[in-house]
Amino acid sequence: MRSSSSPARTRLAALVAGAATVGALLSGAAAHAADSPLRDLGAAKGKIVGTAVTGSKLTGTYGDVAAAQFSSLTPGNAMKWGSVEPSQGVFDWTEADQIVAFAQAHGQQVRGHTLVWHNQNPNWLTGGSWTPDRLSTLLRNHIDTEVGRYKGRIAAWDVVNEAFNEDGTYRPTLWYQGLGADYIANALTWARAADPAAKLYINDYNVEGVNAKSTALYDLVRSLKARGVPIDGVGLQAHLVLGQVPSTLQQNIQRFADLGVDVAITELDVRMTLPPDSAKLARQKADYQAVTAACVAVTRCVNLTVWGFTDSDSWVESTFPGEGAATPYDANYAPKPAYHGIAEALGGATTPPPTGACTAAYAVGSQWNTGFTGNVTISCSGAALSSWKATWTYGAGQRITQAWNADCTQSGATVTCVNAPYNGSVPDGGSVSFGFNASWSGSNPAPTVTLG
Ligand code: G3I
């Protein structure tokens, strides 16, 4: 179905190999061969490995990584009702079509996300006043139109998203309040009619472990099955906090599987307090590895999808100020330890734990209305450098105007700083710093610095 040696995949394999080598040299660990892509490791275990994507970014390195590493794409926003029908009867399928076409070109599945939700609905819908009959007709038409448009091209639909409160009662959404709890059964029935081949899921967050919310979901799925309502799977979003993978995750996946439905980890990310450091990244690796291992352990856990694969394309930083670095790749597309956590749980080669490392810390010094001074400190512990290069990507249009104690250039958003002739050497236990002036406007978020 897909070619295993497309140019994009070959380029990416080289990228991963290069990043791994740099990491090994910096950490003092032995160099090791590049691992197989996640999609191939997953296939060997009978798992689809996916990512949420933004359609407009599917070119260049972002597109290369998405194609090479993943066997499933979920549109992060493009298929939501507010995206596809911003004005009543006026449809915009541009981004959704683009993602589906990209997936087909690269032998990838698409998870459709999402048909019935309380967020990201169009204003004409949420601001309207509808009788139950009219609301029901609107919902049925929406499902018929969207599922029908992509009939045969969507492997699975998140039909209903986030139907429950934390205590297991139904969330009082416009659907529940307007139509009662049977909006769920009706939506599933209509979706089945519109595309009989698509697997139909109900998806939620904070349902990864055994708790009141996941038990309500469990009871609902059991009763839907008993009533003959078409339900094929349960999506556990898995927006997790560093160090807080529920201990009952595998048990919970298994109990859903035992009901006779598939399970997917649909939106995995693991957020941390910024900035990242080697201890947090190691903890994050363990968390990604634990979630992946729980899915691997249950045959009916069919898909493991991350909610964005790079820290430059994650919802976390804008939603949780001061938190982020939640995905398996950094903002420069270098695989983080988390990437290796997924790979290892899927049977990929084990990366030796670093014996030591050199790390770079970015800090804003003074800041005024249009400018700021910044400082980067490179520190080594259990490792040493004879030269260094620090790179980062500005996310908000910042521009470097002058640097000292390093030679810095900026191309687009990417800043590259190499050592001055006199400070390339960083001994084990030592550090060097360089500084710069830069301009900013609007916001001035701190980037993640990569050493290479
Ligand atoms: O597209 C507009 C842009 O035109 C505008 O300039 C900008 C200004 O704020 O907003 C842009 O829209 C944003 C949209 O993402 C696209 O980037 C919205 O403000 C923002 O609220 C929206 O966030 C999305 C969020 O759902 C909304 O609830 C995230 O990208 C998306 O990743 C996130 O995904 C959800 C899943 O669907 C369900 N589970 C939870 C998950 C995380 O919240």
Side-chain angles (χ1 to χ4, degrees), residues 352-369:
T355 53
C358 297
T359 55
Y362 177 105
V364 172
S366 57
Q367 178 171 304
W368 55 98
N369 55 351

PDB file of all heavy atoms in Angstrom, residues 352-369:
ATOM      1  N   PRO A 352      21.378   3.799  24.736  1.00  0.00           N
ATOM      2  CA  PRO A 352      22.071   3.728  26.012  1.00  0.00           C
ATOM      3  C   PRO A 352      21.829   4.997  26.810  1.00  0.00           C
ATOM      4  O   PRO A 352      21.800   6.086  26.235  1.00  0.00           O
ATOM      5  CB  PRO A 352      23.546   3.609  25.612  1.00  0.00           C
ATOM      6  CG  PRO A 352      23.616   4.049  24.190  1.00  0.00           C
ATOM      7  CD  PRO A 352      22.267   3.858  23.592  1.00  0.00           C
ATOM      8  N   PRO A 353      21.610   4.886  28.118  1.00  0.00           N
ATOM      9  CA  PRO A 353      21.405   6.105  28.892  1.00  0.00           C
ATOM     10  C   PRO A 353      22.657   6.963  28.826  1.00  0.00           C
ATOM     11  O   PRO A 353      23.765   6.431  28.876  1.00  0.00           O
ATOM     12  CB  PRO A 353      21.166   5.594  30.314  1.00  0.00           C
ATOM     13  CG  PRO A 353      21.656   4.188  30.327  1.00  0.00           C
ATOM     14  CD  PRO A 353      21.620   3.682  28.923  1.00  0.00           C
ATOM     15  N   PRO A 354      22.509   8.258  28.665  1.00  0.00           N
ATOM     16  CA  PRO A 354      23.696   9.095  28.573  1.00  0.00           C
ATOM     17  C   PRO A 354      24.513   9.010  29.859  1.00  0.00           C
ATOM     18  O   PRO A 354      23.960   8.953  30.956  1.00  0.00           O
ATOM     19  CB  PRO A 354      23.143  10.505  28.350  1.00  0.00           C
ATOM     20  CG  PRO A 354      21.692  10.434  28.652  1.00  0.00           C
ATOM     21  CD  PRO A 354      21.265   9.002  28.575  1.00  0.00           C
ATOM     22  N   THR A 355      25.817   8.988  29.694  1.00  0.00           N
ATOM     23  CA  THR A 355      26.683   8.957  30.865  1.00  0.00           C
ATOM     24  C   THR A 355      26.904  10.367  31.385  1.00  0.00           C
ATOM     25  O   THR A 355      27.427  10.587  32.451  1.00  0.00           O
ATOM     26  CB  THR A 355      28.037   8.337  30.507  1.00  0.00           C
ATOM     27  OG1 THR A 355      28.549   9.051  29.366  1.00  0.00           O
ATOM     28  CG2 THR A 355      27.887   6.876  30.150  1.00  0.00           C
ATOM     29  N   GLY A 356      26.552  11.330  30.588  1.00  0.00           N
ATOM     30  CA  GLY A 356      26.713  12.724  30.964  1.00  0.00           C
ATOM     31  C   GLY A 356      26.197  13.536  29.820  1.00  0.00           C
ATOM     32  O   GLY A 356      25.834  12.979  28.790  1.00  0.00           O
ATOM     33  N   ALA A 357      26.122  14.829  29.976  1.00  0.00           N
ATOM     34  CA  ALA A 357      25.558  15.612  28.891  1.00  0.00           C
ATOM     35  C   ALA A 357      25.997  17.064  28.991  1.00  0.00           C
ATOM     36  O   ALA A 357      26.389  17.532  30.065  1.00  0.00           O
ATOM     37  CB  ALA A 357      24.040  15.534  28.925  1.00  0.00           C
ATOM     38  N   CYS A 358      25.945  17.730  27.837  1.00  0.00           N
ATOM     39  CA  CYS A 358      26.086  19.176  27.808  1.00  0.00           C
ATOM     40  C   CYS A 358      24.722  19.743  27.438  1.00  0.00           C
ATOM     41  O   CYS A 358      24.067  19.242  26.524  1.00  0.00           O
ATOM     42  CB  CYS A 358      27.135  19.600  26.790  1.00  0.00           C
ATOM     43  SG  CYS A 358      28.789  18.978  27.203  1.00  0.00           S
ATOM     44  N   THR A 359      24.291  20.734  28.151  1.00  0.00           N
ATOM     45  CA  THR A 359      22.966  21.304  27.906  1.00  0.00           C
ATOM     46  C   THR A 359      23.075  22.815  27.765  1.00  0.00           C
ATOM     47  O   THR A 359      24.060  23.419  28.212  1.00  0.00           O
ATOM     48  CB  THR A 359      22.004  20.989  29.068  1.00  0.00           C
ATOM     49  OG1 THR A 359      22.603  21.451  30.285  1.00  0.00           O
ATOM     50  CG2 THR A 359      21.739  19.501  29.176  1.00  0.00           C
ATOM     51  N   ALA A 360      22.078  23.396  27.126  1.00  0.00           N
ATOM     52  CA  ALA A 360      22.081  24.845  26.921  1.00  0.00           C
ATOM     53  C   ALA A 360      20.826  25.436  27.553  1.00  0.00           C
ATOM     54  O   ALA A 360      19.728  24.914  27.369  1.00  0.00           O
ATOM     55  CB  ALA A 360      22.115  25.166  25.426  1.00  0.00           C
ATOM     56  N   ALA A 361      20.992  26.508  28.296  1.00  0.00           N
ATOM     57  CA  ALA A 361      19.851  27.175  28.942  1.00  0.00           C
ATOM     58  C   ALA A 361      19.722  28.591  28.389  1.00  0.00           C
ATOM     59  O   ALA A 361      20.697  29.350  28.353  1.00  0.00           O
ATOM     60  CB  ALA A 361      20.054  27.215  30.447  1.00  0.00           C
ATOM     61  N   TYR A 362      18.527  28.936  27.957  1.00  0.00           N
ATOM     62  CA  TYR A 362      18.235  30.249  27.354  1.00  0.00           C
ATOM     63  C   TYR A 362      17.549  31.120  28.395  1.00  0.00           C
ATOM     64  O   TYR A 362      16.656  30.655  29.115  1.00  0.00           O
ATOM     65  CB  TYR A 362      17.303  30.012  26.173  1.00  0.00           C
ATOM     66  CG  TYR A 362      16.803  31.239  25.426  1.00  0.00           C
ATOM     67  CD1 TYR A 362      17.321  31.560  24.175  1.00  0.00           C
ATOM     68  CD2 TYR A 362      15.770  32.023  25.936  1.00  0.00           C
ATOM     69  CE1 TYR A 362      16.835  32.657  23.461  1.00  0.00           C
ATOM     70  CE2 TYR A 362      15.291  33.121  25.236  1.00  0.00           C
ATOM     71  CZ  TYR A 362      15.829  33.423  23.995  1.00  0.00           C
ATOM     72  OH  TYR A 362      15.338  34.497  23.290  1.00  0.00           O
ATOM     73  N   ALA A 363      17.965  32.365  28.493  1.00  0.00           N
ATOM     74  CA  ALA A 363      17.306  33.259  29.452  1.00  0.00           C
ATOM     75  C   ALA A 363      17.189  34.654  28.861  1.00  0.00           C
ATOM     76  O   ALA A 363      18.088  35.124  28.151  1.00  0.00           O
ATOM     77  CB  ALA A 363      18.103  33.320  30.753  1.00  0.00           C
ATOM     78  N   VAL A 364      16.062  35.314  29.108  1.00  0.00           N
ATOM     79  CA  VAL A 364      15.898  36.715  28.736  1.00  0.00           C
ATOM     80  C   VAL A 364      16.389  37.555  29.907  1.00  0.00           C
ATOM     81  O   VAL A 364      16.008  37.311  31.061  1.00  0.00           O
ATOM     82  CB  VAL A 364      14.418  37.026  28.430  1.00  0.00           C
ATOM     83  CG1 VAL A 364      14.214  38.521  28.224  1.00  0.00           C
ATOM     84  CG2 VAL A 364      13.969  36.254  27.196  1.00  0.00           C
ATOM     85  N   GLY A 365      17.279  38.517  29.616  1.00  0.00           N
ATOM     86  CA  GLY A 365      17.766  39.401  30.670  1.00  0.00           C
ATOM     87  C   GLY A 365      16.808  40.557  30.823  1.00  0.00           C
ATOM     88  O   GLY A 365      15.675  40.392  31.258  1.00  0.00           O
ATOM     89  N   SER A 366      17.227  41.754  30.396  1.00  0.00           N
ATOM     90  CA  SER A 366      16.286  42.871  30.448  1.00  0.00           C
ATOM     91  C   SER A 366      15.452  42.896  29.168  1.00  0.00           C
ATOM     92  O   SER A 366      15.894  42.430  28.115  1.00  0.00           O
ATOM     93  CB  SER A 366      17.044  44.174  30.636  1.00  0.00           C
ATOM     94  OG  SER A 366      17.968  44.327  29.595  1.00  0.00           O
ATOM     95  N   GLN A 367      14.252  43.438  29.282  1.00  0.00           N
ATOM     96  CA  GLN A 367      13.351  43.508  28.130  1.00  0.00           C
ATOM     97  C   GLN A 367      12.641  44.850  28.164  1.00  0.00           C
ATOM     98  O   GLN A 367      12.197  45.290  29.219  1.00  0.00           O
ATOM     99  CB  GLN A 367      12.346  42.356  28.216  1.00  0.00           C
ATOM    100  CG  GLN A 367      11.316  42.351  27.108  1.00  0.00           C
ATOM    101  CD  GLN A 367      10.489  41.066  27.126  1.00  0.00           C
ATOM    102  OE1 GLN A 367      11.019  39.968  27.057  1.00  0.00           O
ATOM    103  NE2 GLN A 367       9.187  41.217  27.225  1.00  0.00           N
ATOM    104  N   TRP A 368      12.570  45.540  27.009  1.00  0.00           N
ATOM    105  CA  TRP A 368      11.838  46.789  26.934  1.00  0.00           C
ATOM    106  C   TRP A 368      10.837  46.700  25.794  1.00  0.00           C
ATOM    107  O   TRP A 368      10.639  45.599  25.262  1.00  0.00           O
ATOM    108  CB  TRP A 368      12.817  47.968  26.812  1.00  0.00           C
ATOM    109  CG  TRP A 368      13.777  47.863  25.660  1.00  0.00           C
ATOM    110  CD1 TRP A 368      13.667  48.456  24.440  1.00  0.00           C
ATOM    111  CD2 TRP A 368      14.993  47.095  25.622  1.00  0.00           C
ATOM    112  NE1 TRP A 368      14.731  48.123  23.638  1.00  0.00           N
ATOM    113  CE2 TRP A 368      15.565  47.299  24.330  1.00  0.00           C
ATOM    114  CE3 TRP A 368      15.656  46.268  26.523  1.00  0.00           C
ATOM    115  CZ2 TRP A 368      16.754  46.699  23.945  1.00  0.00           C
ATOM    116  CZ3 TRP A 368      16.847  45.678  26.120  1.00  0.00           C
ATOM    117  CH2 TRP A 368      17.386  45.896  24.864  1.00  0.00           C
ATOM    118  N   ASN A 369      10.183  47.809  25.452  1.00  0.00           N
ATOM    119  CA  ASN A 369       9.005  47.696  24.575  1.00  0.00           C
ATOM    120  C   ASN A 369       9.297  47.067  23.217  1.00  0.00           C
ATOM    121  O   ASN A 369       8.469  46.343  22.675  1.00  0.00           O
ATOM    122  CB  ASN A 369       8.314  49.053  24.410  1.00  0.00           C
ATOM    123  CG  ASN A 369       9.279  50.123  23.924  1.00  0.00           C
ATOM    124  OD1 ASN A 369      10.494  49.908  23.868  1.00  0.00           O
ATOM    125  ND2 ASN A 369       8.760  51.284  23.584  1.00  0.00           N
TER     126      ASN A 369
END
